[in-house]
Amino acid sequence: MARPQSDIEAGRETLIDRVIELIEERGTAAITMTELAARAGMSTANLYRYYDSKEALIEAVAGRWFQPKVAIMEEVVAGDLPPRRKMYEFFARRFALMKAEWERDPVAFASYGELGKENFELVRSYVDLGDHYLAVIIGEAMADGHFAGLSVDEALSLVNQMVSVYVNIGTMDLVMPRLSLEKLARIVDAIFDGLSATDRGARAVKGLKAA
């Protein structure tokens, strides 16, 4: 008789817990199906009843890690804040959450960054989802007259480059002590006050001048 689906789901959640323990204790190198089976007190064959591959397991771990960040994005985008404030909250709330995670355990935080880098194709959908929600905010800003002359995709690319250090876990880990919500607010203000297709002279510079 097949186990009730609830039992399977509970087992999967427990295995995610065990993976997180391994990551936080020993880093990403500890994530093997053999190590996980030993930690969970089951055979490797039984482990595959819950996850049919290591990739499926890592994808589930990523889902656990991203879930609160996705919830923040959905809440902000669905809110009725003006676009400038909405963009700030879109980045600030996730940054505050990730900074708290970093403060709790910087080594584990770095391990999650490494895991995402090693398995980028498995987490790409979350990156794409973030871009989708950011594009919605940009569209609202454009309706209010911001980002003149730029397409949504052009503005999206520029905004991502300007705030990447506040959302890219690998980069964030390197400079976390120098990041702050106050600096992020200034960056968002600069985006709204100046980002457009207008050439204000930077490209007209012919060469660098020696001091």
Side-chain angles (χ1 to χ4, degrees), residues 21-40:
E21 289 174 2
L22 286 170
I23 292 172
E24 298 191 355
E25 291 174 12
R26 297 165 53 191
T28 60
I31 307 177
T32 67
M33 299 303 262
T34 301
E35 288 281 353
L36 178 57
R39 174 61 64 100

Side-chain angles (χ1 to χ4, degrees), residues 73-82 86 140:
M73 292 191 293
E74 291 176 344
E75 181 181 356
V76 171
V77 171
D80 58 0
L81 294 170
K86 185 175 285 191
E140 293 176 1

Side-chain angles (χ1 to χ4, degrees), residues 12-209:
R12 287 172 178 165
E13 291 298 312
T14 297
L15 287 173
I16 293 173
D17 291 339
R18 300 292 85 80
V19 172
I20 290 173
E21 289 174 2
L22 286 170
I23 292 172
E24 298 191 355
E25 291 174 12
R26 297 165 53 191
T28 60
I31 307 177
T32 67
M33 299 303 262
T34 301
E35 288 281 353
L36 178 57
R39 174 61 64 100
M42 65 175 65
S43 68
T44 304
N46 196 33
L47 178 62
Y48 280 104
R49 298 181 70 243
Y50 297 95
Y51 291 102
D52 59 11
S53 67
K54 180 179 177 181
E55 289 73 21
L57 177 60
I58 292 175
E59 188 172 9
V61 172
R64 171 82 69 85
W65 192 87
F66 278 105
Q67 189 278 328
K69 287 80 173 177
V70 171
I72 287 171
M73 292 191 293
E74 291 176 344
E75 181 181 356
V76 171
V77 171
D80 58 0
L81 294 170
R84 183 188 298 249
R85 180 71 187 196
K86 185 175 285 191
M87 184 177 290
Y88 170 75
E89 294 291 334
F90 182 77
F91 293 113
R93 293 186 194 181
R94 286 182 293 154
F95 168 68
L97 178 61
M98 287 188 281
K99 185 174 183 180
E101 292 174 350
W102 176 81
E103 290 174 340
R104 179 180 65 82
D105 191 337
V107 175
F109 188 86
S111 293
Y112 286 118
E114 187 62 28
L115 185 65
K117 182 179 179 180
E118 292 171 353
N119 300 275
F120 181 72
E121 290 305 315
L122 298 179
V123 302
R124 179 187 292 274
S125 63
Y126 295 102
V127 176
D128 292 342
L129 183 61
D131 281 349
H132 166 72
Y133 285 136
L134 179 55
V136 172
I137 297 173
I138 288 171
E140 293 176 1
M142 287 179 167
D144 282 357
H146 297 285
F147 315 142
L150 295 173
S151 68
V152 171
D153 285 345
E154 288 171 331
L156 175 66
S157 178
L158 289 166
V159 172
N160 273 332
Q161 290 180 50
M162 295 172 76
V163 300
S164 63
V165 72
Y166 283 89
V167 292
N168 185 316
I169 184 174
T171 306
M172 189 187 303
D173 180 54
L174 299 175
V175 294
M176 186 69 84
R178 295 195 289 274
L179 303 179
S180 71
L181 292 173
E182 291 77 13
K183 290 180 179 178
L184 175 60
R186 292 180 186 135
I187 291 170
V188 172
D189 276 338
I191 289 171
F192 273 81
D193 291 342
L195 187 60
S196 73
T198 302
D199 180 1
R200 296 183 176 90
R203 286 181 296 179
V205 176
K206 299 300 183 182
L208 298 177
K209 295 183 180 180

